[in-house]
């Protein structure tokens, strides 16, 4: 059972968190390009946002199977796992409370500007918001990288890894 839970946890991590990390990282670049085109196609940004938001919902499986695996292994109180849980929670909060709403605001702004034919308005504001999203995405990705390292190294591990 432990091997099954761990396998699902690792596969979910790769197949869910990976696409979020890539799509969220690409979003600011495409949002700036959309702004530069005076509100032409926002299709790429909409697609990237859908990937982020859709995979975020499915991403709940990663900590669920991780905690189930930790319970099976009897390591739920180990410092490395508790640290991983805290970092995962922070990453999820950044995604849900800052990245996804920021993407939505940028898309809405671009769509509204395209609909009224005025372009996207203040290009400097778009660049500032895109830069903020890029920074938040970098923090999100860094948190996941630290979690992956903790999962591999597992301080105090007796496996010699």
């Amino acid at each position: 059972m432990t091997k099954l839970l761990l396998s699902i946890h690792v596969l979910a991590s790769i197949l869910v968190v990976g696409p979020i990390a890539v799509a969220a990282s690409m979003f600011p670049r495409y949002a700036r390009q959309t702004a530069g085109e005076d509100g032409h196609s926002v299709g790429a940004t909409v697609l990237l946002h859908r990937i982020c938001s859709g995979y975020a919902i499915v991403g709940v499986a990663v900590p669920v199977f991780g905690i189930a695996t930790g319970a099976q292994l009897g390591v739920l109180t180990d410092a490395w796992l508790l640290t991983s849980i805290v970092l995962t929670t922070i990453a999820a909060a950044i995604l849900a409370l800052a990245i996804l709403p920021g993407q939505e605001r940028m898309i809405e702004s671009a769509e509204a500007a395209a609909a009224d034919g005025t372009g996207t308005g203040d290009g400097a504001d778009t660049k500032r918001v895109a830069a903020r999203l890029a920074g938040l995405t970098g923090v999100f990705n860094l948190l996941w990288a630290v979690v992956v390292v903790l999962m591999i190294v597992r301080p105090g591990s007796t496996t010699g890894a």
Side-chain angles (χ1 to χ4, degrees):
M1 180 55 92
T2 303
K3 289 180 182 181
L4 175 65
L5 291 172
L6 181 59
S7 296
I8 293 170
H9 173 63
V10 171
L11 284 170
S13 298
I14 293 167
L15 298 175
V16 175
V17 177
I20 295 170
V22 172
S25 295
M26 293 173 61
F27 184 93
R29 181 180 127 210
Y30 282 94
R32 283 190 296 267
Q33 286 179 350
T34 301
E37 296 171 0
D38 294 326
H40 288 103
S41 176
V42 295
T45 55
V46 170
L47 175 64
L48 292 169
H49 174 67
R50 282 185 186 158
I51 290 168
C52 291
S53 57
Y55 278 76
I57 294 166
V58 179
V60 171
V62 175
V64 167
F65 283 99
I67 290 170
T69 303
Q72 283 287 115
L73 293 171
V75 296
L76 283 180
T77 58
D78 287 7
W80 66 271
L81 185 61
L82 294 173
T83 302
S84 295
I85 291 170
V86 168
L87 294 176
T88 298
T89 303
I90 293 169
I94 289 171
L95 180 65
L97 301 175
I99 294 173
L100 294 176
Q103 289 177 347
E104 289 171 8
R105 284 191 299 275
M106 289 192 78
I107 291 169
E108 289 168 1
S109 174
E111 287 176 339
D116 68 14
T118 62
T120 57
D122 185 6
D125 186 50
T126 298
K127 287 181 181 179
R128 181 184 54 76
V129 173
R132 181 175 183 270
L133 273 177
L136 287 167
T137 301
V139 171
F140 172 82
N141 291 339
L142 181 62
L143 288 169
W144 278 112
V146 171
V147 169
V148 168
V149 170
L150 285 172
M151 293 290 146
I152 294 169
V153 174
R154 299 171 309 174
S157 171
T158 58
T159 63

